[in-house]
Amino acid sequence: MKETIILSNLNEKELLKTFALNGVGSFNVRVFNAEGLAKEASIRNGNVINQRQISTIEQECAIYNISKEIDYFKDISFLDAKNINEAITYARKLCRGSEEDKIETVFFDGEFREKNLAILEVYKEYKQYLTENNLIDSIEIINNVIKNHNKIDAEFVTFLETSLEPLEEELIKVASNNNYGKKTIREFVQKENKQLANVTYANAYGSVNEVEYILGYIAKNNIRYDDCVIALLDNSYAKHFINYRDTYDIPMTFGVGQDLSLSNSFKVLTLLDRWNKQYNAINSLNELINASEFNTNKFWSAVF
């Protein structure tokens, strides 16, 4: 089954709920916003992002400090700076190709020329701030993917219920090699050809009890594991499914792979790192050796 990648600004969990309710499996279906898709394309094409990505609050603080140094905005509040940041981000999403060349046109064509020129000055100072501090933001990550022509071998879909900004459209064109579909959500789930699933509810408080109920329901009703898709699975549930899989040898596949943080190797490395950071303290060593993820037999056979 070929991977399906959906570029959408709609809520991922709500989309997956809609798919599940209409009998569409979520296996090998990925939902990304533009930033997420750009990061995925970078990883799959082996492009390392050497700069640290600036956080949203750090970005807003930088815009605030930069704006205060410009006469037009010298008396602004932090809330005003957040609005300036949103305006700059939106303007950058309107630009295809060379951002620096086209963003001036976006602001020059605006109605409030003096204010727009002041925002343009903030933009230029902000870009310089990123360069000087070896930082990168989400828009630059997207632009890098477009510039490097990073492609992903998958079926791409966008939904007509939401529109994409020009930069986002350019991103999906590059990532899909200009081969992507535009559908309504109804068309994607083929609702007219499917009956709604029979939805039942259970009172099973706590993630462990919920997992036990789901696996028990499958076993009690003699449902083939190949016919089962458990959607909306986050790490708080996945770890319990992994434990049951390992204990009872249940055939189980995770749609986009098992999270590395749930593996025994990761847990052992975490304990090793903690032991190292605590200057080889004996209590940290005991915690490592006595951990269920640590193979004590192999350790002692290697020591003696």
Side-chain angles (χ1 to χ4, degrees):
M1 179 190 296
K2 193 167 186 178
E3 180 181 20
T4 300
I5 291 179
I6 299 169
L7 176 60
S8 173
N9 293 316
L10 297 173
N11 183 278
E12 177 186 4
K13 287 191 174 182
E14 293 304 319
L15 277 177
L16 293 178
K17 284 180 183 178
T18 301
F19 299 162
L21 185 62
N22 288 278
V24 177
S26 59
F27 181 77
N28 235 14
V29 176
R30 308 290 303 276
V31 180
F32 291 109
N33 60 16
E35 179 186 347
L37 177 57
K39 288 180 177 178
E40 186 73 11
S42 296
I43 291 170
R44 296 200 193 185
N45 285 271
N47 291 335
V48 178
I49 300 174
N50 294 315
Q51 305 98 314
R52 178 177 67 82
Q53 184 175 358
I54 190 171
S55 66
T56 302
I57 185 63
E58 188 179 358
Q59 185 174 346
E60 291 169 348
C61 289
I63 293 293
Y64 174 70
N65 292 328
I66 291 168
S67 300
K68 294 281 285 184
E69 298 297 319
I70 295 171
D71 287 342
Y72 189 90
F73 295 124
K74 62 182 179 181
D75 296 321
I76 65 165
S77 66
F78 188 75
L79 181 60
D80 294 326
K82 292 180 70 170
N83 293 332
I84 293 172
N85 183 46
E86 289 175 2
I88 290 173
T89 300
Y90 176 69
R92 294 172 72 190
K93 287 182 178 180
L94 296 177
C95 300
R96 297 176 188 263
S98 177
E99 176 186 304
E100 286 76 8
D101 295 337
K102 296 184 178 180
I103 199 167
E104 293 195 13
T105 304
V106 174
F107 285 114
F108 277 138
D109 290 344
E111 182 178 351
F112 306 100
R113 185 172 176 80
E114 184 181 1
K115 181 178 181 179
N116 287 345
L117 290 177
I119 294 176
L120 182 61
E121 188 177 350
V122 173
Y123 161 76
K124 291 179 178 178
E125 291 294 327
Y126 167 70
K127 292 283 285 186
Q128 185 176 345
Y129 171 84
L130 292 179
T131 302
E132 291 175 351
N133 291 276
N134 196 32
L135 297 170
I136 193 170
D137 63 16
S138 59
I139 304 295
E140 287 193 346
I141 293 173
I142 295 170
N143 277 320
N144 285 345
V145 169
I146 295 171
K147 182 175 65 176
N148 293 324
H149 301 285
N150 295 148
K151 299 177 179 62
I152 298 176
D153 182 22
E155 294 180 0
F156 282 82
V157 177
T158 63
F159 290 138
L160 295 173
E161 283 81 359
T162 59
S163 59
L164 299 178
E165 302 298 348
L167 183 65
E168 296 169 334
E169 285 186 3
E170 193 67 23
L171 171 65
I172 194 171
K173 281 183 179 179
V174 169
S176 69
N177 200 22
N178 203 23
N179 182 21
Y180 64 98
K182 295 182 179 181
K183 299 181 180 181
T184 64
I185 296 175
R186 180 182 288 271
E187 288 171 341
F188 184 81
V189 301
Q190 299 177 2
K191 187 173 181 179
E192 64 277 11
N193 298 324
K194 294 178 180 291
Q195 292 183 338
L196 291 180
N198 181 22
V199 179
T200 59
Y201 299 87
N203 290 324
Y205 299 105
S207 55
V208 176
N209 292 329
E210 290 181 38
V211 170
E212 286 185 357
Y213 171 81
I214 292 169
L215 294 176
Y217 180 89
I218 293 170
K220 185 168 62 177
N221 291 278
N222 294 316
I223 304 173
R224 295 171 66 247
Y225 287 120
D226 282 347
D227 295 332
C228 300
V229 174
I230 301 171
L232 306 182
L233 189 63
D234 60 25
N235 280 358
S236 64
Y237 291 89
K239 63 184 180 183
H240 301 306
F241 277 104
I242 290 169
N243 287 338
Y244 277 98
R245 178 198 66 186
D246 295 342
T247 303
Y248 298 103
D249 197 25
I250 299 173
M252 192 179 298
T253 303
F254 290 84
V256 292
Q258 180 180 324
D259 194 307
L260 181 62
S261 65
L262 298 175
S263 67
N264 288 344
S265 300
F266 179 87
K267 293 173 183 175
V268 170
L269 288 171
T270 301
L271 291 170
L272 276 169
D273 181 58
R274 186 183 304 167
W275 180 43
N276 179 55
K277 287 180 177 177
Q278 294 182 358
Y279 303 101
N280 304 331
I282 189 64
N283 59 324
S284 299
L285 179 59
N286 284 332
E287 185 182 8
L288 169 63
I289 293 176
N290 294 318
S292 59
E293 298 82 14
F294 189 82
N295 192 322
T296 311
N297 292 332
K298 282 191 176 181
F299 173 73
W300 291 120
S301 63
V303 171
F304 298 105

